[in-house]
Amino acid sequence: GMQSYKAYLSVLVEGRGHGFELVEDLLLNAERRAIQERYDDATGRLYRALELMGQRWLLDRHKINTSTVDLERVPEKLRSSITAHRDQPGAIKIGLLATWDLIAGFEGDPIGSSFSSHRARLFDFLAYRNESLFAHGTKPVAKRDYEVFARSVEEFIRHSMEIGISALGRRLVVKLAQFPTNLEEE
């Protein structure tokens, strides 16, 4: 209840958390929206969680900011594909899939190797999300479809968080609770 929420806030404020609290919060938010049968909204939050997980990991592990990519830090074999994202003549900005492909391009990256085996399923999720009303399309997200991809996307993100937290030598300080615990009130 309130105690764990206060503990969670102090972790955020003092910056002594594991660094992926916002990702976790987005996952919990997506779950809440799905329970309320707001699948478009849930899909958007899941998408953002996947995006943020990649952004945080690239920054924490490889010191690369996805909105101004430093090519010096990018593995040589990936430089030309990353350069293709440059807005002439501006900074190189990369989106969700390019972010994850970059992570996978780092030799021995613990999360990157896990991404490679999930790539096809995550790609399907992205395609589905892009066709949805919430993003660029006209189709509302159906419950059945949401349930099919949500589980695997969520599992991938949680798995990545666990790997990331231990690889960065951090720990899960507080188990984040689902707020509110009673959905009738919302």
Side-chain angles (χ1 to χ4, degrees):
M2 209 54 208
Q3 271 324 97
S4 66
Y5 190 57
K6 281 188 177 139
Y8 167 60
L9 285 180
S10 73
V11 163
L12 283 185
V13 170
E14 293 163 30
R16 57 185 176 84
H18 52 66
F20 303 105
E21 286 80 7
L22 280 176
V23 175
E24 208 173 357
D25 194 42
L26 281 160
L27 287 178
L28 292 172
N29 265 305
E31 262 169 49
R32 280 201 294 276
R33 296 300 177 265
I35 289 167
Q36 296 167 334
E37 298 184 5
R38 292 161 60 186
Y39 301 107
D40 290 297
D41 195 338
T43 299
R45 288 165 201 272
L46 211 49
Y47 177 92
R48 181 64 186 121
L50 183 59
E51 181 178 56
L52 189 59
M53 181 65 222
Q55 290 170 338
R56 287 290 333 187
W57 180 248
L58 260 188
L59 198 57
D60 288 1
R61 176 79 176 203
H62 302 289
K63 307 289 175 271
I64 293 176
N65 183 331
T66 57
S67 53
T68 53
V69 176
D70 177 0
L71 273 181
E72 294 291 297
R73 296 185 175 277
V74 172
E76 198 124 350
K77 59 181 180 193
L78 289 180
R79 286 186 188 164
S80 60
S81 69
I82 293 295
T83 309
H85 294 270
R86 190 192 297 273
D87 303 330
Q88 301 311 29
I92 300 175
K93 264 183 139 109
I94 54 173
L96 188 149
L97 203 56
T99 295
W100 280 102
D101 283 335
L102 176 52
I103 291 169
F106 280 96
E107 208 66 47
D109 183 293
I111 293 180
S113 51
S114 158
F115 169 72
S116 301
S117 60
H118 285 83
R119 190 183 193 278
R121 266 188 306 172
L122 293 169
F123 187 82
D124 289 344
F125 163 66
L126 298 181
Y128 186 83
R129 177 256 176 197
N130 287 339
E131 287 170 18
S132 78
L133 211 51
F134 199 79
H136 315 291
T138 53
K139 292 197 303 207
V141 176
K143 175 181 182 171
R144 193 187 57 233
D145 295 327
Y146 181 80
E147 285 167 354
V148 166
F149 63 67
R151 187 150 291 113
S152 62
V153 173
E154 205 176 309
E155 274 169 16
F156 170 73
I157 298 171
R158 288 195 183 283
H159 181 59
S160 298
M161 269 198 309
E162 280 165 28
I163 296 173
I165 290 166
S166 88
L168 294 167
R170 299 175 185 161
R171 60 196 176 88
L172 203 48
V173 186
V174 189
K175 184 78 196 93
L176 201 51
Q178 179 64 280
F179 301 105
T181 41
N182 178 1
L183 277 171
E184 305 314 305
E185 293 160 18
E186 241 185 63

